[in-house]
Amino acid sequence: MAPLGGNYLTEQGRKNLPNYKYSGSDNSLIYKHILTPMNNYLIDFFPLWMAPNLITLIGLLITFASYSLTAFYMPQLEGEAPVWVYAWCAAGLFVYQTLDNLDGKQARRTGTSSPLGLLFDHGCDALNCTVSTFTFVSILQMGMTWKSFAMWACATTTFVFNTWEEYYTSDLYLPIINGPTEGLLFGVLCISVTGVYGADMWTQPAPFFPDTLKVHDLVLLLTVGLTVTTTVTHTVKVFSTLHSGQNHSPDPPSFLRALLLLLPYLVLVAFAFVWSQYSAIDILANHGRMFFWTFGLFAAIYLTKLMISHLCAQSFQPYSSRTTILLTLSLLGVASSLPACEFVPQHPWFGELGVLRTMFFISLVSYLHLAVGLIQEVTDTLNINCLTIPYPPKMG
């Protein structure tokens, strides 16, 4: 049983979990011909006593270090930083990508592959959507604006639709150009170039559109375009899967029901965007990090629950009481920012700021409860540890 009385696995889910078999492919040419040979070489430097999940966790902690540095030097997601900060952030993002690829190899090498590893990997990636977006938009000088929000929404939405497709197809398919490979390498390139030419390069007039766009707007347009293309592709794949009788989820083959599973996430993101743009207290400029973390934690919770439902072949239930509370509070935040509600007192514990603080508290406690409780449930079900493995390895 999970701590604090929470149970995230159904009885049938506990029975299904040990039988899960991973199916996936990364069709990136860079991944196949450059990163894979490099990682095959690097994996031999890792000791056999080192748990795969520990490798994943180290990668996440490195991205948090980058986040901390940019938060110190660029608290409002813009400004200059010492050259060594850009060097650290670029190297850190590349190391994160590398460790994210090595954890699976370590699991196979030590004979400790399990559904927990996939869940832990996806859980860290879900959290990293917010962490690394903060770092990236700081480098790009986007500031506490709608542009930064759009970059965050693109990162999380792409991950949500990818996991949603996997829930129905039971296959993690990454196309020839994808976020975990080319996307992260593009981020490494952008950060490295910034270290050489300075952060001001991103706020210069854009080529071909000098009167209307800045250089970082081109990155935003590229990101939005790829996100739209990716989400449409995932939606078509889910539709064809359900209508061809190849549904691998425990749900009925209803495309309408599949779309309804996305509704809480999409509605909350829409509410967040409207709130950020019409806030009476300019909530992004004054409380931007709390704002982004509130909705980033919700996205991480949503993604983790969707992933565990896939692993356990149990029906995904996104309409929990906490989700309902967050949706209601975000709607209240939107409402309190409208001109018709100017009479609402903007006190630190009332009005918009009070709503945001309440939402942040709920999101943070919910995420911690989910992370600790779910890891305990899965490790108890599989009779394994999270951050340690048997040594010498028990090779089958």
Side-chain angles (χ1 to χ4, degrees), residues 278-340:
Y278 293 96
S279 170
I281 61 172
D282 200 353
I283 205 154
L284 270 188
N286 294 303
H287 308 282
R289 289 186 182 270
M290 188 192 305
F291 187 87
F292 278 116
W293 272 114
T294 297
F295 294 99
L297 288 171
F298 170 82
I301 292 169
Y302 178 93
L303 277 162
T304 303
K305 286 186 174 181
L306 180 56
M307 191 63 200
I308 193 60
S309 297
H310 162 61
L311 295 176
C312 294
Q314 65 184 35
S315 182
F316 177 48
Q317 303 294 333
Y319 297 94
S320 65
S321 58
R322 277 170 287 193
T323 300
T324 304
I325 292 172
L326 287 173
L327 285 169
T328 303
L329 287 172
S330 63
L331 179 59
L332 182 59
V334 171
S336 63
S337 68
L338 298 178

Coordinates of all heavy atoms in Angstrom, one line a residue, residues 278-340:
Y278 N -4.2 37.7 -19.3 CA -5.1 38.7 -18.9 C -5.0 39.0 -17.4 O -5.9 39.6 -16.8 CB -6.5 38.2 -19.2 CG -6.8 38.2 -20.7 CD1 -6.6 37.0 -21.4 CD2 -7.1 39.4 -21.4 CE1 -6.9 37.0 -22.8 CE2 -7.3 39.4 -22.7 CZ -7.2 38.2 -23.5 OH -7.4 38.2 -24.8
S279 N -4.0 38.5 -16.7 CA -3.8 38.7 -15.3 C -3.8 40.1 -14.9 O -3.0 40.9 -15.5 CB -2.5 38.0 -14.8 OG -2.2 38.3 -13.5
A280 N -4.5 40.5 -13.9 CA -4.6 41.8 -13.4 C -3.3 42.2 -12.6 O -3.0 43.4 -12.5 CB -5.8 42.0 -12.5
I281 N -2.6 41.2 -12.2 CA -1.3 41.5 -11.4 C -0.1 41.0 -12.2 O 1.0 40.9 -11.6 CB -1.4 40.8 -10.0 CG1 -1.5 39.2 -10.2 CG2 -2.5 41.3 -9.2 CD1 -1.3 38.4 -8.9
D282 N -0.3 40.8 -13.5 CA 0.8 40.4 -14.4 C 1.5 39.2 -13.7 O 2.7 39.2 -13.4 CB 1.8 41.5 -14.6 CG 2.6 41.3 -15.9 OD1 2.5 40.2 -16.4 OD2 3.4 42.2 -16.3
I283 N 0.8 38.1 -13.6 CA 1.2 37.0 -12.8 C 2.5 36.3 -13.3 O 3.3 35.8 -12.6 CB 0.0 36.0 -12.7 CG1 0.2 35.1 -11.4 CG2 -0.1 35.1 -13.9 CD1 -1.0 34.6 -10.8
L284 N 2.7 36.4 -14.7 CA 3.9 35.8 -15.2 C 5.1 36.6 -14.8 O 6.2 36.1 -14.4 CB 3.8 35.7 -16.7 CG 3.2 34.4 -17.4 CD1 3.4 34.5 -18.9 CD2 3.8 33.2 -16.8
A285 N 5.0 37.9 -15.0 CA 6.2 38.8 -14.6 C 6.5 38.8 -13.2 O 7.7 38.8 -12.8 CB 5.9 40.2 -15.1
N286 N 5.5 38.7 -12.3 CA 5.7 38.8 -10.9 C 5.8 37.4 -10.1 O 6.4 37.4 -9.1 CB 4.6 39.6 -10.2 CG 4.7 41.1 -10.7 OD1 5.7 41.7 -10.6 ND2 3.6 41.5 -11.3
H287 N 5.2 36.4 -10.7 CA 5.2 35.1 -10.0 C 5.3 34.0 -11.1 O 4.7 32.9 -10.9 CB 3.9 34.9 -9.2 CG 3.6 36.0 -8.3 ND1 4.3 36.2 -7.1 CD2 2.8 37.1 -8.4 CE1 3.8 37.3 -6.5 NE2 2.9 37.8 -7.2
G288 N 6.2 34.2 -12.1 CA 6.3 33.3 -13.2 C 6.7 31.9 -12.9 O 6.2 30.9 -13.4
R289 N 7.7 31.8 -12.0 CA 8.3 30.5 -11.7 C 7.2 29.6 -11.0 O 7.1 28.4 -11.3 CB 9.6 30.6 -11.0 CG 10.7 31.1 -11.8 CD 12.1 31.1 -11.2 NE 13.0 31.6 -12.1 CZ 13.8 30.9 -13.0 NH1 13.6 29.6 -13.0 NH2 14.6 31.5 -13.8
M290 N 6.5 30.2 -10.0 CA 5.5 29.5 -9.3 C 4.4 29.1 -10.3 O 3.8 28.0 -10.2 CB 4.9 30.3 -8.2 CG 3.9 29.5 -7.3 SD 3.0 30.6 -6.2 CE 4.3 31.5 -5.3
F291 N 4.1 30.0 -11.2 CA 3.0 29.7 -12.2 C 3.4 28.5 -13.1 O 2.6 27.6 -13.3 CB 2.8 31.0 -13.1 CG 1.7 30.9 -14.0 CD1 0.4 31.3 -13.6 CD2 1.8 30.5 -15.3 CE1 -0.7 31.2 -14.5 CE2 0.8 30.4 -16.2 CZ -0.5 30.8 -15.8
F292 N 4.6 28.6 -13.6 CA 5.0 27.5 -14.5 C 5.2 26.2 -13.8 O 4.8 25.1 -14.3 CB 6.4 27.8 -15.2 CG 6.3 28.7 -16.4 CD1 6.8 30.0 -16.4 CD2 5.7 28.3 -17.5 CE1 6.8 30.8 -17.5 CE2 5.6 29.1 -18.6 CZ 6.1 30.3 -18.6
W293 N 5.7 26.2 -12.5 CA 5.8 25.0 -11.8 C 4.5 24.4 -11.4 O 4.3 23.1 -11.3 CB 6.7 25.2 -10.5 CG 8.1 25.0 -10.8 CD1 9.1 25.9 -10.8 CD2 8.8 23.8 -11.2 NE1 10.3 25.4 -11.1 CE2 10.1 24.0 -11.4 CE3 8.3 22.5 -11.4 CZ2 11.1 23.1 -11.7 CZ3 9.2 21.5 -11.8 CH2 10.6 21.8 -12.0
T294 N 3.5 25.2 -11.1 CA 2.2 24.7 -10.8 C 1.6 23.9 -11.9 O 1.2 22.7 -11.7 CB 1.2 25.9 -10.6 OG1 1.7 26.6 -9.4 CG2 -0.2 25.4 -10.3
F295 N 1.7 24.4 -13.1 CA 1.1 23.6 -14.3 C 2.1 22.5 -14.8 O 1.7 21.5 -15.3 CB 0.7 24.6 -15.4 CG -0.4 25.5 -15.0 CD1 -0.2 26.8 -14.5 CD2 -1.7 25.0 -15.0 CE1 -1.2 27.6 -14.2 CE2 -2.8 25.8 -14.6 CZ -2.5 27.1 -14.2
G296 N 3.4 22.8 -14.6 CA 4.4 21.7 -14.9 C 4.2 20.5 -14.1 O 4.4 19.4 -14.6
L297 N 4.0 20.7 -12.8 CA 3.8 19.5 -11.9 C 2.5 18.8 -12.2 O 2.5 17.6 -12.2 CB 3.8 20.0 -10.4 CG 5.1 20.4 -9.9 CD1 4.9 21.1 -8.5 CD2 6.1 19.2 -9.7
F298 N 1.5 19.5 -12.6 CA 0.2 18.9 -13.0 C 0.5 18.0 -14.3 O 0.0 16.9 -14.4 CB -0.9 19.9 -13.3 CG -2.1 19.3 -14.0 CD1 -3.0 18.6 -13.3 CD2 -2.2 19.3 -15.4 CE1 -4.1 18.0 -13.9 CE2 -3.3 18.7 -16.0 CZ -4.3 18.1 -15.3
A299 N 1.2 18.6 -15.2 CA 1.5 17.8 -16.5 C 2.3 16.6 -16.1 O 2.1 15.5 -16.7 CB 2.3 18.7 -17.4
A300 N 3.3 16.7 -15.2 CA 4.1 15.5 -14.8 C 3.2 14.4 -14.1 O 3.4 13.2 -14.4 CB 5.2 15.9 -13.8
I301 N 2.3 14.9 -13.3 CA 1.3 13.9 -12.7 C 0.5 13.2 -13.7 O 0.3 12.0 -13.7 CB 0.4 14.7 -11.7 CG1 1.2 15.2 -10.5 CG2 -0.7 13.8 -11.2 CD1 0.5 16.2 -9.6
Y302 N -0.1 14.0 -14.6 CA -0.9 13.5 -15.7 C -0.1 12.4 -16.5 O -0.6 11.3 -16.8 CB -1.4 14.6 -16.6 CG -2.2 14.2 -17.8 CD1 -3.6 14.2 -17.7 CD2 -1.7 13.8 -19.0 CE1 -4.4 13.8 -18.7 CE2 -2.4 13.5 -20.1 CZ -3.8 13.4 -19.9 OH -4.6 13.0 -21.0
L303 N 1.1 12.8 -16.9 CA 1.9 11.9 -17.7 C 2.3 10.6 -17.0 O 2.2 9.5 -17.6 CB 3.2 12.6 -18.2 CG 3.1 13.5 -19.4 CD1 4.2 14.5 -19.5 CD2 3.0 12.6 -20.7
T304 N 2.6 10.7 -15.7 CA 3.0 9.6 -15.0 C 1.8 8.6 -14.8 O 2.0 7.4 -14.9 CB 3.6 10.0 -13.6 OG1 4.7 10.9 -13.8 CG2 4.1 8.8 -12.8
K305 N 0.7 9.2 -14.5 CA -0.5 8.3 -14.3 C -0.9 7.6 -15.6 O -1.3 6.5 -15.7 CB -1.7 9.2 -13.8 CG -1.6 9.6 -12.4 CD -2.9 10.3 -11.9 CE -2.8 10.5 -10.4 NZ -4.1 11.2 -10.0
L306 N -0.7 8.3 -16.8 CA -1.0 7.7 -18.1 C 0.0 6.6 -18.3 O -0.4 5.6 -18.9 CB -0.9 8.8 -19.1 CG -1.2 8.4 -20.6 CD1 -2.6 7.7 -20.7 CD2 -1.1 9.6 -21.5
M307 N 1.2 6.8 -18.0 CA 2.2 5.8 -18.2 C 2.0 4.6 -17.4 O 2.1 3.4 -17.9 CB 3.6 6.4 -18.0 CG 4.8 5.5 -18.5 SD 4.7 5.3 -20.3 CE 5.6 3.8 -20.5
I308 N 1.7 4.7 -16.1 CA 1.5 3.6 -15.2 C 0.3 2.8 -15.7 O 0.2 1.6 -15.6 CB 1.4 4.0 -13.7 CG1 1.5 2.7 -12.9 CG2 0.2 4.7 -13.4 CD1 2.8 1.9 -13.0
S309 N -0.7 3.5 -16.2 CA -1.9 2.8 -16.7 C -1.6 2.0 -17.9 O -2.1 0.8 -18.1 CB -3.0 3.9 -17.1 OG -3.4 4.6 -16.0
H310 N -0.7 2.5 -18.8 CA -0.2 1.7 -19.9 C 0.6 0.4 -19.4 O 0.4 -0.7 -19.9 CB 0.7 2.5 -20.8 CG 1.6 1.8 -21.7 ND1 1.1 0.9 -22.7 CD2 2.9 1.7 -21.9 CE1 2.1 0.4 -23.4 NE2 3.2 0.9 -22.9
L311 N 1.5 0.6 -18.5 CA 2.3 -0.5 -18.0 C 1.5 -1.6 -17.3 O 1.8 -2.8 -17.4 CB 3.4 0.1 -17.0 CG 4.4 1.0 -17.5 CD1 5.3 1.5 -16.4 CD2 5.3 0.4 -18.6
C312 N 0.5 -1.2 -16.6 CA -0.4 -2.1 -15.9 C -1.6 -2.6 -16.6 O -2.4 -3.4 -16.1 CB -0.8 -1.5 -14.5 SG 0.5 -1.2 -13.4
A313 N -1.8 -2.1 -17.8 CA -3.0 -2.4 -18.6 C -4.2 -2.2 -17.8 O -5.2 -3.0 -17.8 CB -2.9 -3.9 -19.1
Q314 N -4.2 -1.0 -17.1 CA -5.4 -0.6 -16.4 C -5.9 0.7 -17.0 O -5.2 1.5 -17.5 CB -5.1 -0.4 -14.9 CG -4.1 0.7 -14.5 CD -3.8 0.8 -13.1 OE1 -3.7 -0.2 -12.4 NE2 -3.6 2.0 -12.6
S315 N -7.2 0.9 -16.8 CA -7.9 2.0 -17.5 C -7.4 3.3 -16.9 O -7.3 3.5 -15.7 CB -9.4 1.9 -17.3 OG -10.0 3.0 -18.0
F316 N -7.0 4.2 -17.7 CA -6.5 5.6 -17.3 C -7.7 6.4 -16.9 O -8.7 6.6 -17.6 CB -5.8 6.2 -18.5 CG -5.3 7.6 -18.1 CD1 -4.7 7.9 -17.0 CD2 -5.5 8.7 -19.0 CE1 -4.2 9.2 -16.7 CE2 -5.1 10.0 -18.8 CZ -4.4 10.2 -17.6
Q317 N -7.6 6.9 -15.6 CA -8.7 7.7 -15.1 C -8.2 9.1 -14.7 O -7.7 9.4 -13.7 CB -9.2 7.1 -13.8 CG -9.7 5.6 -14.0 CD -11.0 5.6 -14.8 OE1 -11.7 6.5 -14.9 NE2 -11.2 4.4 -15.5
P318 N -8.3 10.1 -15.7 CA -7.7 11.4 -15.5 C -8.6 12.3 -14.7 O -8.1 13.4 -14.2 CB -7.5 11.9 -16.9 CG -8.6 11.3 -17.7 CD -8.8 9.9 -17.1
Y319 N -9.8 11.9 -14.5 CA -10.8 12.8 -13.8 C -10.8 12.6 -12.3 O -11.8 12.1 -11.7 CB -12.1 12.7 -14.4 CG -12.2 13.1 -15.8 CD1 -12.0 12.2 -16.9 CD2 -12.3 14.5 -16.2 CE1 -12.1 12.6 -18.2 CE2 -12.3 14.9 -17.5 CZ -12.2 13.9 -18.5 OH -12.2 14.3 -19.8
S320 N -9.7 12.8 -11.6 CA -9.6 12.6 -10.2 C -10.1 13.9 -9.5 O -10.3 14.9 -10.1 CB -8.2 12.3 -9.7 OG -7.4 13.5 -10.0
S321 N -10.3 13.7 -8.1 CA -10.8 14.9 -7.4 C -9.8 16.0 -7.4 O -10.2 17.2 -7.5 CB -11.1 14.4 -5.9 OG -9.9 13.9 -5.3
R322 N -8.5 15.7 -7.4 CA -7.5 16.7 -7.4 C -7.4 17.5 -8.7 O -7.2 18.7 -8.8 CB -6.1 16.2 -7.1 CG -5.8 16.0 -5.6 CD -4.6 15.2 -5.3 NE -4.8 13.8 -5.6 CZ -3.9 12.8 -5.2 NH1 -2.9 13.1 -4.5 NH2 -4.2 11.6 -5.5
T323 N -7.7 16.7 -9.8 CA -7.7 17.3 -11.1 C -8.9 18.3 -11.2 O -8.8 19.4 -11.7 CB -7.8 16.3 -12.2 OG1 -6.7 15.4 -12.2 CG2 -8.0 16.9 -13.6
T324 N -10.0 17.9 -10.7 CA -11.2 18.7 -10.6 C -11.0 20.0 -9.8 O -11.4 21.1 -10.3 CB -12.4 18.0 -10.0 OG1 -12.6 16.7 -10.8 CG2 -13.7 18.8 -10.1
I325 N -10.3 19.9 -8.7 CA -10.0 21.0 -7.9 C -9.1 22.0 -8.6 O -9.3 23.2 -8.6 CB -9.4 20.6 -6.5 CG1 -10.4 19.8 -5.7 CG2 -8.8 21.8 -5.8 CD1 -9.8 19.2 -4.4
L326 N -8.1 21.5 -9.3 CA -7.1 22.3 -10.0 C -7.8 23.0 -11.2 O -7.6 24.2 -11.5 CB -5.9 21.5 -10.5 CG -4.9 21.1 -9.4 CD1 -3.9 20.1 -10.0 CD2 -4.2 22.3 -8.8
L327 N -8.7 22.3 -11.9 CA -9.4 22.9 -13.0 C -10.3 24.0 -12.5 O -10.4 25.1 -13.1 CB -10.2 21.8 -13.7 CG -9.5 20.9 -14.6 CD1 -10.4 19.7 -15.1 CD2 -8.9 21.6 -15.9
T328 N -11.0 23.8 -11.4 CA -11.9 24.8 -10.8 C -11.1 26.0 -10.3 O -11.5 27.1 -10.6 CB -12.6 24.2 -9.6 OG1 -13.4 23.0 -10.0 CG2 -13.6 25.2 -9.0
L329 N -9.9 25.8 -9.7 CA -9.1 26.9 -9.2 C -8.5 27.7 -10.4 O -8.4 28.9 -10.3 CB -8.0 26.4 -8.3 CG -8.4 25.9 -6.9 CD1 -7.3 25.3 -6.2 CD2 -9.0 27.1 -6.1
S330 N -8.1 27.0 -11.4 CA -7.6 27.7 -12.6 C -8.6 28.5 -13.3 O -8.4 29.6 -13.7 CB -6.9 26.7 -13.6 OG -7.9 25.8 -14.1
L331 N -9.8 28.0 -13.3 CA -11.0 28.8 -13.9 C -11.2 30.0 -13.0 O -11.5 31.1 -13.5 CB -12.2 27.9 -14.0 CG -13.5 28.6 -14.5 CD1 -13.2 29.2 -15.9 CD2 -14.7 27.6 -14.5
L332 N -11.1 29.8 -11.7 CA -11.3 30.9 -10.7 C -10.2 32.0 -11.0 O -10.4 33.2 -10.9 CB -11.2 30.4 -9.3 CG -11.4 31.5 -8.2 CD1 -12.8 32.2 -8.3 CD2 -11.3 30.8 -6.8
G333 N -8.9 31.5 -11.2 CA -7.8 32.4 -11.5 C -8.1 33.2 -12.8 O -7.8 34.4 -12.8
V334 N -8.6 32.5 -13.8 CA -9.0 33.2 -15.0 C -10.0 34.3 -14.8 O -9.9 35.4 -15.2 CB -9.5 32.2 -16.1 CG1 -10.0 33.0 -17.3 CG2 -8.3 31.3 -16.6
A335 N -11.1 33.8 -14.0 CA -12.2 34.8 -13.7 C -11.7 36.0 -12.9 O -12.1 37.1 -13.2 CB -13.3 34.0 -13.0
S336 N -10.9 35.7 -12.0 CA -10.4 36.9 -11.1 C -9.5 37.8 -11.8 O -9.3 38.9 -11.3 CB -9.7 36.3 -9.9 OG -8.5 35.6 -10.2
S337 N -9.0 37.4 -13.0 CA -8.1 38.3 -13.8 C -8.9 39.2 -14.8 O -8.3 40.1 -15.4 CB -7.1 37.5 -14.5 OG -7.7 36.7 -15.5
L338 N -10.2 38.9 -14.9 CA -11.0 39.6 -15.9 C -11.4 41.0 -15.4 O -11.6 41.1 -14.2 CB -12.2 38.8 -16.3 CG -11.9 37.4 -17.0 CD1 -13.2 36.7 -17.2 CD2 -11.1 37.6 -18.3
P339 N -11.6 41.9 -16.3 CA -12.0 43.3 -15.8 C -13.3 43.3 -15.0 O -13.4 44.1 -14.1 CB -12.2 44.0 -17.2 CG -11.3 43.3 -18.1 CD -11.4 41.9 -17.7
A340 N -14.2 42.4 -15.3 CA -15.5 42.4 -14.6 C -15.3 42.0 -13.1 O -16.2 42.2 -12.3 CB -16.4 41.4 -15.2

